[in-house]
Amino acid sequence: MIEPSTHLRDKYALVGAGHSRLGKVPGVSAQGLLEEAMLNALDDAGLTTQDVDGLICRGPDEIYTFHQVMGERLGIDASFSTTLTNGGASQVMGVALAAMAIDAGMASCVLVGYGRDNWSRVHANKENHMRGSGRPQQMYGMEFGPEFGYYGAIAAHGFGAQRHMHDYGTTREQFGAISVAFRNHALNNPDAVMKKPLTMGDYLGGRMIVEPFSLFDCSLQTDAAGAVVVTSAERAKDLRQKPVLIKGFGTGNNISGWFNGNNMTHTGAIQSGKTAYAMAGVGPEDIDYAQIYDCFTYMVLVQLEDYGFCKKGEGGEFVASGALALDGAMPTNTSGGQLSEAHVEGMLQVVEGVRQLQGIYGPERQVPKAEIGLVSGHGGNTVCESTLILGAA
Amino acid sequence: MSDDYAKAIPVPGPESLPFWEGAKNHQLMIQKCSDCEHHWFPPSTVCTGCGSRNIEWVASSGKGTVFSFVVFHRLYHKGWDGAIPYAVAVIELEEGARMLSNVIGVPVDEVKCDMPVEVIFEDATSDLSLPKFKPV
């Protein structure tokens, strides 16, 4: 049993957020994209690289100690710095770690970001395209997978979707409601990669990739990066933007395995959310919007259940009710998410979570009266979860 | 049996050699805790149920159910050219351990969660047999 430290509540703030160009950005490395996002985040805060004494990042997994590469390119010596490797849960965890580092006196102003050049990698050669990933071949498991034709995150998440459909009667149309809702959000985001409307007919007509997932259940392959700046709430008062307070955070890691127990249908978000809510002193009924890690449609549905926005097993009905729209019960992925904006493994969810509370959008994209938001990161090829609860200052 | 086999050849880790040696003899080997009777897979050096070091390899009955499955409609590896669509499943053995495999001998649209299955060994090469599962 753990007791999260409530003394951290509202003590640290996100003071800047930014992203790089999104989509097909040839001729720029993952590092270059991340620099673009980091400089945009610092500009947003009214700070420069010279103000930064903490650097937490993630980049292409095969680059050793990626934060050292970034520090060298940015000209930053940092009292606190590391590269996180917890899959899509890393980016939200990076913000939590920044707050912990500042609280421990290890740093005072921490830059957190992630960049990836997946579109360029995947489309760089035909072999990569067939694998659907720019990952080197040796990064696939060498046994208990490839010999059975098991490839990619899509299959791992598909197991969860299939079991959820079996246990709770969830349908592909309900997964489709998520794709359609996020595409509608993307149409109001000029930076989003996907520009065309998506109907339920389009969704159901999408070619099957790994059943039960078709094309429109899958997140995008993009070149993109995002970054945020974390400092104390006290210092935030003097900076350019309206600060966004970190009310609470949590993590949960079902690393005994996706195949273990009921982990496929009951994710790390249960533990992670419980911890974050306790630290923040709020519950699901207090959340005004959610930015949920959407590698595949199903993961949105199951995380919404696990964060308590609806009951276990009722995620399908919840998303099909229109809940994810800007005027719905839980406006979700208001930038279009990884399914329709761009995919930086949760980093753009953090950026959008911050911007909603900076209140910078017009009515087509701004969640009305947003005061508290939840951001999730999910990864480790299904089992790791991190949660942030953000509040208006 | 063919040595021009085009699918991925597993590269066993040191802890999983008994599994692959068993498969060659058409035995489905899993690990069991001598203290708490827990069975598990994939291999490890400690009981995943109680943490005991007192563990052994045992032959599974090979009977189980489909816990979940997916159907590949897209080619990710050239060795599966012509085999699409194919079903990849998480099999729950009756001893409790779960493992990844293929469900074969049935059209992919007839594969269901909780469907009873049993192991059938496919001799892929002269040096490799793969445990797959067919409906009972």
Side-chain angles (χ1 to χ4, degrees), chain A residues 129 143 149 159 211 259 261, chain B residues 16 20 68 71 73-74 86 98:
Chain A
H129 197 230
E143 59 178 337
F159 285 140
E211 198 176 334
F259 291 6
Chain B
S16 51
W20 293 111
S68 194
V71 178
H73 289 263
R74 183 181 152 178
Y86 62 91
R98 291 182 187 164

Side-chain angles (χ1 to χ4, degrees), chain A residues 158-203:
Chain A
F159 285 140
Q162 189 81 258
R163 187 71 206 186
H164 200 279
M165 293 165 91
H166 175 79
D167 287 351
Y168 303 112
T170 307
T171 65
R172 290 204 64 242
E173 285 79 358
Q174 290 169 339
F175 295 145
I178 296 166
S179 287
V180 171
F182 292 179
R183 182 63 58 88
N184 288 340
H185 290 312
L187 298 178
N188 290 318
N189 174 2
D191 295 322
V193 168
M194 302 310 281
K195 306 282 186 201
K196 282 196 276 186
L198 181 78
T199 65
M200 184 59 79
D202 297 333
Y203 170 84

